Amino acid sequence: MADQTLDAKGLQCPLPVLRARKALKTVPPGSTLTVEATDPGAPKDFAAFCEATGNRLASSVEEGGVYRFVIERCA
């Protein structure tokens, strides 16, 4: 279960990633942020975001057009 959740549904690139970056600042290391987004480019964007920031993309799933990402804050 996520420690925090961010609803980024309806937002287009780069807003979901920018909002996630801001939200992760409030998440303690070792905790998670779950992001829900509908932007079709989000899976690629969040994979690149996690690689660039040193955080771990714990899961990435799509259900009914909604992408759900669980990001573990490592840095």
Side-chain angles (χ1 to χ4, degrees):
M1 193 68 184
D3 296 307
Q4 289 190 29
T5 302
L6 172 65
D7 182 356
K9 295 188 292 285
L11 300 176
Q12 297 300 309
C13 180
L15 291 176
V17 169
L18 293 176
R19 297 227 175 135
R21 179 185 300 270
K22 183 177 180 181
L24 273 171
K25 291 179 181 177
T26 67
V27 175
S31 296
T32 61
L33 173 68
T34 295
V35 182
E36 293 184 341
T38 52
D39 181 358
K44 178 181 61 129
D45 293 342
F46 276 96
F49 167 72
C50 288
E51 186 175 323
T53 60
N55 294 300
R56 186 173 78 86
L57 186 58
S59 72
S60 174
V61 296
E62 185 270 333
E63 288 181 17
V66 176
Y67 300 93
R68 185 171 295 111
F69 309 97
V70 178
I71 302 168
E72 180 182 351
R73 181 169 178 204
C74 298

